[in-house]
Amino acid sequence: AGIGTLDLVATAVDPVPAGSVFEIVSGDGQSLATAAPSAPLVVRLRTSAGTAVAGTTVAFSVSPAGAATLSNATATTGA
């Protein structure tokens, strides 16, 4: 049985330029059974001007907390 709807939260751990935004690349819209690991979560970080921000650590979490097992709780952005 599925666990219902979860919100995925991506947070930059390192300082980033003001106005930077995340773009979902893949991993959203998953339907998971209880305690099943997610597929990889991939986001892109861009400045307000659209330039990719590389080398930033991103932490992923779900809400409600502990409701799913993430395949990758952290990732590092590439260019």
Side-chain angles (χ1 to χ4, degrees):
I3 57 175
T5 301
L6 300 174
D7 292 321
L8 174 65
V9 179
T11 305
V13 176
D14 305 313
V16 296
S20 295
V21 295
F22 286 110
E23 297 174 349
I24 297 170
V25 175
S26 64
D28 63 331
Q30 297 181 48
S31 179
L32 303 172
T34 302
S38 71
L41 306 168
V42 181
V43 295
R44 185 175 294 124
L45 181 62
R46 294 197 182 275
T47 66
S48 58
T51 305
V53 178
T56 299
T57 301
V58 178
F60 297 105
S61 61
V62 294
S63 178
T69 302
L70 300 178
S71 63
N72 54 320
T74 63
T76 301
T77 59

